[in-house]
């Protein structure tokens, strides 16, 4: 008699946790409350000249910031995949990211954010999010949409590190 490991389906977990969605040109952001979206938007603003803006005054602020980072990542990688559209799941803590990571069957050290090719989604902790971390995970999304067979993880990591290093350099 064999031992079977049952892993919860991430899609089922996701449906129970997020009550709100926000769409951009390249992504749909899943979050629990308006404050989560505001924190995410504020923390990905380093490369923007009008960082004193807020969501209340500009409802398109999140869309503009997310799409600008995605476009910058595509330009840095010189990869423009058709049909690029992915999900972003906002978690409160790094511990929640670790739990999600484990539920997907990964057993190595859990990152503070990650991209899943299987679910075409970025999973981010609001505790740790920055523009560079978001760009890094976006690079994984772009790479995975660009290639029919995604390159090995090490190659993807080199390209993603290039993106976070040169994100705002001209």
């Amino acid at each position: 008699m064999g031992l079977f490991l049952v892993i919860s389906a991430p899609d089922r977990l996701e449906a129970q946790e997020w009550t709100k969605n926000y769409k951009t040109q390249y992504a749909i952001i899943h979050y629990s409350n308006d404050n989560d979206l505001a924190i995410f938007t504020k923390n990905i603003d380093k490369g923007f000249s009008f960082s004193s803006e807020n969501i209340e005054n500009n409802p398109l602020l999140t869309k503009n910031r997310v799409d600008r980072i995605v476009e910058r990542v595509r330009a840095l990688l010189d990869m423009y995949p058709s049909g690029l559209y992915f999900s972003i799941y906002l978690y409160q803590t790094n511990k929640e990211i670790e739990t999600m990571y484990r539920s997907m069957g990964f057993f190595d050290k859990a990152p503070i954010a990650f991209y899943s090719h299987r679910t075409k989604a970025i999973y981010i902790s609001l505790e740790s999010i920055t523009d560079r971390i978001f760009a890094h995970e976006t690079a994984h999304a772009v790479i995975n949409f660009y290639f029919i067979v995604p390159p090995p993880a090490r190659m993807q990591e080199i390209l993603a590190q290039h993106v976070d290093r040169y994100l705002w350099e001209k």
Side-chain angles (χ1 to χ4, degrees), residues 3-114:
L3 177 66
F4 293 95
L5 176 65
V6 178
I7 299 174
S8 301
D11 297 335
R12 212 171 329 136
L13 290 173
E14 292 163 4
Q16 295 173 0
E17 297 180 21
W18 289 273
T19 57
K20 298 186 176 214
N21 297 314
Y22 182 99
K23 293 182 180 184
T24 81
Q25 179 178 350
Y26 300 105
I28 182 166
I29 304 168
H30 304 275
Y31 59 102
S32 298
N33 61 65
D34 293 339
N35 191 50
D36 290 352
L37 191 63
I39 291 168
F40 172 72
T41 303
K42 179 180 178 276
N43 289 344
I44 63 167
D45 80 344
K46 185 178 178 198
F48 297 89
S49 56
F50 301 108
S51 60
S52 63
E53 283 186 290
N54 62 43
I55 293 176
E56 292 81 28
N57 296 338
N58 182 355
L60 295 177
L61 190 61
T62 303
K63 177 191 179 318
N64 294 341
R65 288 184 180 170
V66 168
D67 289 346
R68 180 172 176 213
I69 289 174
V70 172
E71 288 165 2
R72 180 69 180 142
V73 168
R74 292 176 354 143
L76 280 168
L77 294 173
D78 195 22
M79 294 180 187
Y80 301 91
S82 63
L84 177 64
Y85 199 77
F86 54 91
S87 293
I88 302 167
Y89 290 92
L90 303 182
Y91 287 84
Q92 296 291 321
T93 66
N94 293 341
K95 184 69 176 161
E96 290 174 305
I97 289 290
E98 182 179 353
T99 300
M100 185 62 188
Y101 190 71
R102 300 273 179 256
S103 78
M104 296 181 105
F106 299 110
F107 299 104
D108 51 326
K109 184 178 185 290
I112 56 176
F114 67 97

Side-chain angles (χ1 to χ4, degrees), residues 130-146:
T130 67
D131 56 344
R132 292 186 186 277
I133 291 169
F134 176 62
H136 180 103
E137 298 311 325
T138 299
H140 286 289
V142 170
I143 292 163
N144 280 266
F145 272 88
Y146 186 78

